Amino acid sequence: MKKLINRPENVVAESLAGLVAAHSDLLTLSQNPLFVAWKDAPVSGKVGIISGGGSGHEPLHVGYVGRGMLDAACPGDVFTSPTPDQIEAATRAVDSGAGVLHVIKNYTGDVMNFELAAELCQAEGIQVETVLVDDDVAVKDSLYTAGRRGVGATVLVEKICGAAAEQGHKLSAVAAIGKEVNQRTRSIGIALTSCTVPAAGKPTFEIGDQEMEFGIGIHGEPGRSRMQIKTARDVVRMMTEEVVRDLPFQSGDSVIALVNGMGGTPLIELYLVFGEMIEVCREKGINVVRPLVGNYITALEMAGCSITLLKADDRLLTLWDAPVHTAGLRWGR
Amino acid sequence: MKKLINRPENVVAESLAGLVAAHSDLLTLSQNPLFVAWKDAPVSGKVGIISGGGSGHEPLHVGYVGRGMLDAACPGDVFTSPTPDQIEAATRAVDSGAGVLHVIKNYTGDVMNFELAAELCQAEGIQVETVLVDDDVAVKDSLYTAGRRGVGATVLVEKICGAAAEQGHKLSAVAAIGKEVNQRTRSIGIALTSCTVPAAGKPTFEIGDQEMEFGIGIHGEPGRSRMQIKTARDVVRMMTEEVVRDLPFQSGDSVIALVNGMGGTPLIELYLVFGEMIEVCREKGINVVRPLVGNYITALEMAGCSITLLKADDRLLTLWDAPVHTAGLRWGR
């Protein structure tokens, strides 16, 4: 296992310490229970937004805490759900009285623990609403999930809900926008290599030198099929067509497109993938009006990428364009 | 070779096409000769700034073209210098009459081709000044370089010179600031794995499962020594101490610190490295006043990182904080 770490059991705590030290103008760290919060939260009258999940997907979620996105994030251990007490404490910490939205990726453990935390918070008189993200078209029901997995759409839901909350929308409205974003978004991912969970010390799966996994999840869980490596052009066409067919996206649609690296694929390849994707979109009459290319929801050091398309309208684009200032996503200020 | 590419010989052109498509609000692509330019260049009265070098270090340099940083960048093939005609054409394209600064990483091929291009431009009546970046403390004279190699300081020189040009400084002043930044900056890098140049199709170097390369260059060229992998704490202490000792940085110094990923190391590890680095700095009385953590000057998909410290003063911090809008670095607008 070749990693820049000390002891596997301390990776998450030590990485969070570095994150918060690097962004001390923006973030505070609660140690017990563990969560990262925006320094300015709670903002009077503003809906709070929190998310969380296993670590290993950085910058998601802790890197999206700040102005115009998340008020707090609850990191679990690597690929392990956060506990209800983390989520409850974070919810309490960011509630201004306007209520708190929970953005949850659809994994069984996350869903269960967020539900339990929401019940605890509601018993304390905090309004909680939930957006469940399940945009992955690769598989229905899998290793960690009943239904579809939540992947790239999470970044878009967090950004757009964050902007809606910042603009003063009520909890029910912010939740409705988040659900709408999820419903309008589809994703698929592929991997060329496995990742290695620090505590496991060996690759999550074996994959041959000439093989790729099509439809991979963000924990290295199996996708739709194992196949021979293809050219980027062929891979990206397959990926884009799966995504387009599923919603379906149609000629004339405007989309926000995320070409996301899984952690070990360099930017030179991700931009090449973006170039191939936009060609397929063009053929189909789909207009990519907002692109995002880089490592935004990763699986440790896995080599691979995912493609996410969101069918946008003017309202969603305005929310997308609104200023954001987090460690992982920043524009407009 | 597991890469998301089509044909090795087309990687650079296809990646650039994707980059410019993704950032069409910001960038234009000249095909022949090849360079990427900021759409607004030349800006009347503003000094132009260009850089260039082999591809494979993305976002450097093409990702730093835009407002407040580079006016153009000339990409060579992977790990191969750009040609004088690329540099000459880019220089001409961005000269407003106020002259053009060439930011050059100290590699023999780059230096030679930029020098030749500068002579051609000067013969045409364009004022050209040069900043040579040579911040790598690992080795003096190496595979591609006479003297020290230029690495992480390049990002800092490009950002700070870009801000100085934007603020209306003259060519001689912008060049002087760039040289000063280089003189006040030191870096060192390590690698856990090799990278694979697409055209070569096999790893640049062999490295054992328990080995790391200390003092690696950004092309996978040898560093100072091959050693057993250590904990992040031990590695980062060695790295930071080499950097601090060289300038030397002293107690009471304020620094801009770049913890840079080589391409294949995920953010969870880079933040852990930052946390370790800041501890060593604290012990030595060095204050990290501006942190930057992520993949900023890479070596394809190599796993590893580099640490760069710049001894800052108020004037340099003001230039650092000035707004920048590029594909790879963005804040303040």
Side-chain angles (χ1 to χ4, degrees), chain B residues 185-198:
Chain B
T185 305
R186 295 294 186 274
S187 298
I188 197 162
I190 62 111
L192 302 182
T193 68
S194 179
C195 51
T196 296
V197 175

Side-chain angles (χ1 to χ4, degrees), chain A residues 1-7 10-12 14-23 55-59 78 190-193 207-212 229-236 263-276 278 282 291 293 295 298 300-301 303-305 327-328 330-333, chain B residues 1-7 10-12 14-23 55-59 78 190-193 207-212 229-236 263-276 278 282 291 293 295 298 300-301 303-305 327-328 330-333:
Chain A
M1 178 172 57
K2 296 194 117 174
K3 290 179 186 286
L4 288 164
I5 63 175
N6 296 308
R7 298 166 63 90
N10 297 340
V11 169
V12 171
E14 291 174 354
S15 181
L16 289 172
L19 173 80
V20 172
H23 302 280
S55 295
H57 307 301
E58 292 68 23
V78 173
I190 62 110
L192 303 183
T193 68
I207 187 162
D209 281 350
Q210 298 300 321
E211 287 182 324
M212 54 176 271
I229 285 191
K230 302 183 189 311
T231 62
R233 186 157 302 148
D234 289 344
V235 174
V236 172
T265 286
L267 209 47
I268 192 170
E269 296 178 35
L270 296 179
Y271 274 117
L272 190 152
V273 165
F274 181 84
E276 297 295 345
I278 209 170
R282 239 175 233 152
V293 182
N295 295 312
T298 59
L300 296 166
E301 74 285 3
C305 72
R330 185 171 179 184
W331 57 68
R333 52 172 103 238
Chain B
M1 179 172 55
K2 296 195 116 174
K3 289 180 186 287
L4 288 164
I5 63 173
N6 296 308
R7 298 166 64 90
N10 297 340
V11 169
V12 171
E14 292 174 353
S15 181
L16 289 173
L19 172 81
V20 172
H23 301 282
S55 295
H57 307 302
E58 290 69 24
V78 173
I190 62 111
L192 302 182
T193 68
I207 186 162
D209 281 350
Q210 300 300 322
E211 287 181 326
M212 54 175 268
I229 286 191
K230 302 184 188 312
T231 62
R233 186 157 302 147
D234 289 345
V235 173
V236 172
T265 286
L267 209 47
I268 192 170
E269 295 177 37
L270 296 179
Y271 274 116
L272 191 152
V273 165
F274 181 84
E276 296 295 344
I278 208 169
R282 238 175 235 152
V293 183
N295 295 312
T298 60
L300 295 167
E301 75 286 3
C305 72
R330 184 171 179 184
W331 57 68
R333 54 173 103 236

Side-chain angles (χ1 to χ4, degrees), chain B residues 72-138:
Chain B
C74 304
D77 211 339
V78 173
F79 297 172
T80 303
S81 298
T83 55
D85 66 310
Q86 290 177 265
I87 302 164
E88 183 203 4
T91 304
R92 262 194 280 116
V94 307
D95 181 39
S96 70
V100 178
L101 180 70
H102 288 178
V103 178
I104 312 169
K105 301 194 299 303
N106 189 31
Y107 298 95
T108 305
D110 289 7
V111 171
M112 203 170 62
N113 291 353
F114 267 94
E115 268 177 9
L116 198 53
E119 284 168 18
L120 293 168
C121 291
Q122 283 156 343
E124 297 168 38
I126 301 173
Q127 297 178 69
V128 175
E129 294 243 14
T130 289
V131 174
L132 190 66
V133 181
D134 62 349
D135 55 314
D136 187 347
V137 305

Side-chain angles (χ1 to χ4, degrees), chain A residues 54-75:
Chain A
S55 295
H57 307 301
E58 292 68 23
L60 188 89
H61 300 274
V62 290
Y64 298 138
V65 175
R67 186 177 300 272
M69 211 159 164
L70 298 179
D71 292 270
C74 305

